[in-house]
Amino acid sequence: EAGVGSAVAAALEAGTVARDALFLQTKFTYQRGQDHRLPYDPGAPLSEQVAQSMASSLVHLGVDYVDSYVLHGPSRSSGLGGADWEVWRAMEALHGDGKARLLGVSNVTLDQLASLCAEAEVTPAFVQNRCFAASGWDSAVRRLCRDNDIVYQGFSLLTANGRELAAPSVTRIAAKTSMTRAQLVFRFALEVGMLPLTGTTSPEHMREDLLCLDMQLDE
């Protein structure tokens, strides 16, 4: 976050971009998913942890609001527990205060997302899941997202699907369309309604990936 904040500050100061042209998304993460840079008091109530984590993020990013605040996975593998609802209500409070324009959830199952859609006061605007070809690219969760006007952010599209992307059929399609495998996957994701995420650190790969926005795949 601090590195992103430095880059944002430099870009704003240089006039390269305006704040309202940027989309900044960060997360609240339970203690088990944190490293030594814990952004809150682990002994505090969860609602306070959420508030402290957001305050830390705003300082790191050098802004007074984020565009999207995401719960970095529920506290358990099935269903939503009391901890999850306490955290979500605290996130809803941040939304009400204008510190988080939109809310989201990551690493979520179909039943957990259905519960949020049914019972949350502020329903998620984003779902961010690791996306596997073997499960139909998370088809059931994506369908629920589509039915509830939720943007599905797919991550690990490349790293989670190495075997599938090495298949001869994918090689043939890439050759036919003059795309790299990464471009092919990202374009496919866009065509089926995902917002693909990539974590590349290579400027060359970033430029290649962005070219998929102007590409097309036939049915």
Side-chain angles (χ1 to χ4, degrees):
E1 282 185 335
V4 172
S6 295
V8 167
L12 294 177
E13 184 177 357
T16 305
V17 68
R19 171 65 184 94
D20 60 6
L22 293 174
F23 186 88
L24 297 177
Q25 177 172 264
T26 191
K27 297 179 179 180
F28 172 79
T29 304
Y30 286 112
Q31 185 179 357
R32 70 175 188 273
Q34 296 278 0
D35 61 16
H36 64 283
R37 298 168 296 180
L38 196 64
Y40 49 74
D41 175 4
L46 285 169
S47 58
E48 285 297 318
Q49 292 181 20
V50 172
Q52 291 171 10
S53 185
M54 171 61 87
S56 174
S57 291
L58 295 179
V59 169
H60 287 162
L61 295 169
V63 295
D64 55 11
Y65 72 92
V66 295
D67 298 279
S68 173
Y69 199 49
V70 176
L71 171 57
H72 195 177
S75 62
R76 56 194 197 182
S77 58
S78 179
L80 297 176
D84 300 314
W85 284 114
E86 183 178 352
V87 166
W88 192 261
R89 298 308 180 200
M91 291 171 60
E92 289 177 330
L94 293 172
H95 170 77
D97 291 340
K99 294 178 180 177
R101 296 283 176 90
L102 299 165
L103 302 181
V105 60
S106 183
N107 303 301
V108 68
T109 65
L110 182 64
D111 70 296
Q112 290 167 336
L113 180 58
S115 294
L116 269 179
C117 290
E119 300 178 48
E121 294 179 13
V122 180
T123 55
F126 298 96
V127 162
Q128 186 183 117
N129 272 5
R130 180 175 285 107
C131 199
F132 294 95
S135 64
W137 304 94
D138 210 12
S139 57
V141 171
R142 288 192 294 110
R143 187 178 305 112
L144 185 58
C145 287
R146 186 167 58 248
D147 292 343
N148 288 274
D149 295 322
I150 298 170
V151 176
Y152 181 96
Q153 299 176 322
F155 71 92
S156 294
L157 293 168
L158 304 178
T159 55
N161 300 294
R163 182 181 63 182
E164 288 82 2
L165 297 187
S169 58
V170 174
T171 301
R172 287 194 298 270
I173 295 171
K176 177 183 177 181
T177 57
S178 299
M179 296 184 190
T180 66
R181 280 188 174 86
Q183 288 171 335
L184 178 59
V185 172
F186 294 146
R187 185 65 232 175
F188 162 78
L190 290 167
E191 296 277 358
V192 299
M194 293 187 215
L195 177 61
L197 303 183
T198 174
T200 181
T201 59
S202 163
E204 180 183 359
H205 287 167
M206 193 177 295
R207 285 189 290 268
E208 288 179 353
D209 295 345
L210 287 169
L211 289 175
C212 77
L213 295 172
D214 299 318
M215 295 174 173
Q216 298 294 327
L217 291 173
D218 60 30
E219 195 64 30

